[in-house]
């Protein structure tokens, strides 16, 4: 399938305009891995548990409110659910947060950095997260690792990204569902496209998000 060269030129022009904003955001992500507490890393993990089929800003607002009220690390599923206004499937997602917290912080001290540091690559870390964190698929695990600064080469294949990959000619159709095989296949195509247009994978993700939403968020 041939790339849409007109779409590529528009992407490159847009990238030239917002590259400094993207670079600042990436610096913030990398700083989290270097300096943040494990509890702060867990906030990103919980955020990515909330995002499926829900608006990112609504989900992050819920996380911020729970952090402010000391609910994210100490509240039970019922209390957490009370903060998830506007988040779809909030009952299940509240339970997923508690289960993830027990797995990573059940000993009284969070050990996210220690666990994730033990993997040879972000790809290995992602596989482990998908298998061990209920509520995480490849998109959510990739999103989390990127947001804490150790997943720059991973694709976050949400509906915004898939739509724009199709417009650019990277994929022919947007799949109705993403199996592991299909996810990795599209990720490989996106990586090839990234190299072709000279925009790093992590920057391309934020650029395509901006193309669809008009902002660089997380």
């Amino acid at each position: 399938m041939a790339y849409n060269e007109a779409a590529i030129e528009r992407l490159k022009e847009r990238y030239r305009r917002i590259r400094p904003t993207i670079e600042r955001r990436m610096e913030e992500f990398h700083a989290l891995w270097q300096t943040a507490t494990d509890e702060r890393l867990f906030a990103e993990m919980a955020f990515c548990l909330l995002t499926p089929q829900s608006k990112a800003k609504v989900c992050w607002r819920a996380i911020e409110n729970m952090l402010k009220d000391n609910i994210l690390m100490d509240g039970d599923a019922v209390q957490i659910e009370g903060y998830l206004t506007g988040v779809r499937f909030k009952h299940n997602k509240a339970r997923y947060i508690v289960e993830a917290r027990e797995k990573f912080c059940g000993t009284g001290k969070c050990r996210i950095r220690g666990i994730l540091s033990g993997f040879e690559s972000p790809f290995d870390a992602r596989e482990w997260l998908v298998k061990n964190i209920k509520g995480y698929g490849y998109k959510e695990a990739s999103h989390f690792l990127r947001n804490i600064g150790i997943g720059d080469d991973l694709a976050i294949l949400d509906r915004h990204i898939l739509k724009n990959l199709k417009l650019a000619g990277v994929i022919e159709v947007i799949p109705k569902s993403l199996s592991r095989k299909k996810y990795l296949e599209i990720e490989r195509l996106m990586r090839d496209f990234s190299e072709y247009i000279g925009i790093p994978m992590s920057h391309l993700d934020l650029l395509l998000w901006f193309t669809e939403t008009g902002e660089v968020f997380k």
Side-chain angles (χ1 to χ4, degrees):
M1 183 176 179
Y3 294 146
N4 182 336
E5 295 296 338
I8 288 173
E9 286 307 310
R10 289 193 294 272
L11 278 176
K12 287 183 174 179
E13 173 58 30
R14 197 172 293 122
Y15 183 58
R16 283 190 285 271
R17 287 192 289 109
I18 70 167
R19 182 174 180 173
T21 302
I22 290 175
E23 289 176 340
R24 284 195 298 272
R25 180 66 80 212
M26 293 306 302
E27 287 171 4
E28 291 170 4
F29 292 153
H30 293 152
L32 279 181
W33 182 249
Q34 297 299 324
T35 65
T37 64
D38 275 50
E39 288 77 9
R40 177 64 181 82
L41 297 180
F42 180 75
E44 293 292 341
M45 178 179 285
F47 166 67
C48 294
L49 279 169
L50 297 182
T51 55
Q53 299 189 45
S54 298
K55 293 182 178 179
K57 283 197 167 182
V58 170
C59 295
W60 186 244
R61 190 180 310 121
I63 295 295
E64 289 181 319
N65 288 335
M66 284 190 282
L67 287 171
K68 176 171 61 72
D69 295 342
N70 298 315
I71 291 296
L72 185 64
M73 300 309 301
D74 298 322
D76 59 26
V78 173
Q79 290 173 306
I80 289 172
E81 185 176 343
Y83 283 77
L84 303 187
T85 302
V87 177
R88 296 196 67 191
F89 314 115
K90 60 183 181 179
H91 178 74
N92 286 339
K93 290 177 178 179
R95 187 161 45 83
Y96 295 159
I97 287 174
V98 171
E99 290 179 11
R101 190 180 67 201
E102 290 174 352
K103 183 176 291 288
F104 283 94
C105 309
T107 60
K109 185 181 187 313
C110 283
R111 50 200 179 93
I112 294 175
R113 187 179 279 102
I115 290 173
L116 295 180
S117 295
F119 294 99
E120 292 187 2
S121 74
F123 301 95
D124 293 338
R126 179 173 66 180
E127 291 290 341
W128 187 87
L129 289 167
V130 170
K131 291 175 182 176
N132 287 275
I133 302 299
K134 195 167 185 178
Y136 263 22
Y138 282 85
K139 182 194 76 170
E140 293 77 27
S142 300
H143 193 185
F144 167 57
L145 292 170
R146 193 282 306 276
N147 278 13
I148 63 170
I150 58 171
D152 287 5
D153 202 36
L154 303 176
I156 305 166
L157 299 180
D158 68 4
R159 57 192 175 87
H160 298 310
I161 303 304
L162 291 168
K163 175 183 174 181
N164 282 280
L165 289 178
K166 182 176 183 296
L167 289 172
V170 180
I171 58 176
E172 293 185 3
V173 296
I174 298 174
K176 292 182 178 178
S177 61
L178 284 172
S179 65
R180 178 183 185 275
K181 180 180 179 181
K182 177 59 70 173
Y183 196 102
L184 297 181
E185 176 189 338
I186 295 177
E187 182 176 63
R188 177 182 58 78
L189 293 172
M190 183 174 172
R191 190 173 296 112
D192 291 344
F193 180 67
S194 166
E195 293 176 1
Y196 178 78
I197 64 175
I199 299 175
M201 274 282 280
S202 56
H203 289 206
L204 181 58
D205 172 81
L206 291 171
L207 175 62
L208 294 178
W209 178 272
F210 177 88
T211 298
E212 188 66 17
T213 66
E215 62 181 335
V216 175
F217 188 46
K218 59 190 288 129

